[in-house]
């Protein structure tokens, strides 16, 4: 067992009113599993992901990674933030290479890795550009490859491809799947895109606005790479869409 989320409770205080966002959330994620989190806006997906990442604390419950309690962020968990969170004063190359420099990876290896990653995200020739000169989709692609650069054990991604265009998005889904398969990473991805969830995931979790309650935990039993047009694939999409529609009645 890789990741255990035990009895997580999280309440925010806004103007003295308590907002209980997560109540008794329990999840077990296996080694090498790819899990997607789906759910309406505000249901607590980012909150849960940041607690797993160690960026926020819950009042109750704990997150265990390989039986060790997560108390803070660590290099074993790479995080792709919903708002990209690139360093504005660093260009594309410096952003992507930052985690490798921190880990003191030799320059030759860094350059090799950079070339590989730029190729994956179709960012070749953009190394010297700064975040403010990039489109939203380009910034997301930089954030994704920066997370991949340090070969994390667990990859936590908050809508990593939300701003990426249709073709590039499918392309990156395939690339991410390749990288995930090769490196046996455990991945948790927040997405609003049902097709993306079915294409990428071993399991899709649907959270509701009722304190993050898990409405569905659906295993996707399809061979990879997946055929987006086969009947079973479309059935999975249909099931998840119906569950999502139910979320809005809660
Ligand atoms: N730091 C904070 N202080 C107060 N309230 C917060 C804070 N962070 C999140 N919330 C509240 O917690 C709830 C869940 O927010 P969260 O960002 O986890 O939702 P989400 O499921 O990621 O939504 P989206 O799909 O829109 O990104 C919301 O009601 C939000 O207003
Ligand atoms: Mg969010």
């Amino acid at each position: 067992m890789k990741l255990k989320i035990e009895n997580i409770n999280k309440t925010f205080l806004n103007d003295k009113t308590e907002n209980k966002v997560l109540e008794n959330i329990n999840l077990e994620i296996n080694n090498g599993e790819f899990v997607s989190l789906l759910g309406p806006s505000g249901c607590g997906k980012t909150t849960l992901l940041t607690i797993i990442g160690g960026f926020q604390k819950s009042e109750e419950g704990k997150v265990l990674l390989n039986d060790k309690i997560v108390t803070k962020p660590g290099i074993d968990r790479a995080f792709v933030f919903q708002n990209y969170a690139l360093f504005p004063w660093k260009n594309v190359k410096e952003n992507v290479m930052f985690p490798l420099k921190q880990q003191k990876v030799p320059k030759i290896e860094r350059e090799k890795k950079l070339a590989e990653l730029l190729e994956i995200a179709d960012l070749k020739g953009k190394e010297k550009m700064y975040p403010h000169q990039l489109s939203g989709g380009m910034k997301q692609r930089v954030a994704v490859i920066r997370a991949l650069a340090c070969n994390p054990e667990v990859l936590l991604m908050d809508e990593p491809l939300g701003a990426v265009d249709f073709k590039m998005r499918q392309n990156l889904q395939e690339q991410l799947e390749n990288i995930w398969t090769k490196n046996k990473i455990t991945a948790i991805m927040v997405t609003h895109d049902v097709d993306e969830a079915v294409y990428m995931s071993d399991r899709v979790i649907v959270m509701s606005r009722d304190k993050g309650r898990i409405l569905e935990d659906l295993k996707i039993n399809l061979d990879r790479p997946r055929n987006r047009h086969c009947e079973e694939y479309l059935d999975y999409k249909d099931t998840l869409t119906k569950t999502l529609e139910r979320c809005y009645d809660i």
Side-chain angles (χ1 to χ4, degrees), residues 48-56 63 70 72-74 77 79 156:
L48 181 61
L49 205 67
T50 49
I51 290 171
I52 298 171
F55 294 96
Q56 287 205 84
V63 175
V70 166
K72 54 180 196 293
R77 278 154 292 138
F79 206 102
L156 303 167

Side-chain angles (χ1 to χ4, degrees), residues 40-47 82 158-159 190 192:
S41 186
C43 73
K45 303 179 296 297
T46 297
T47 305
Q82 193 166 2
D158 199 351
E159 299 186 40
V190 173
H192 283 294

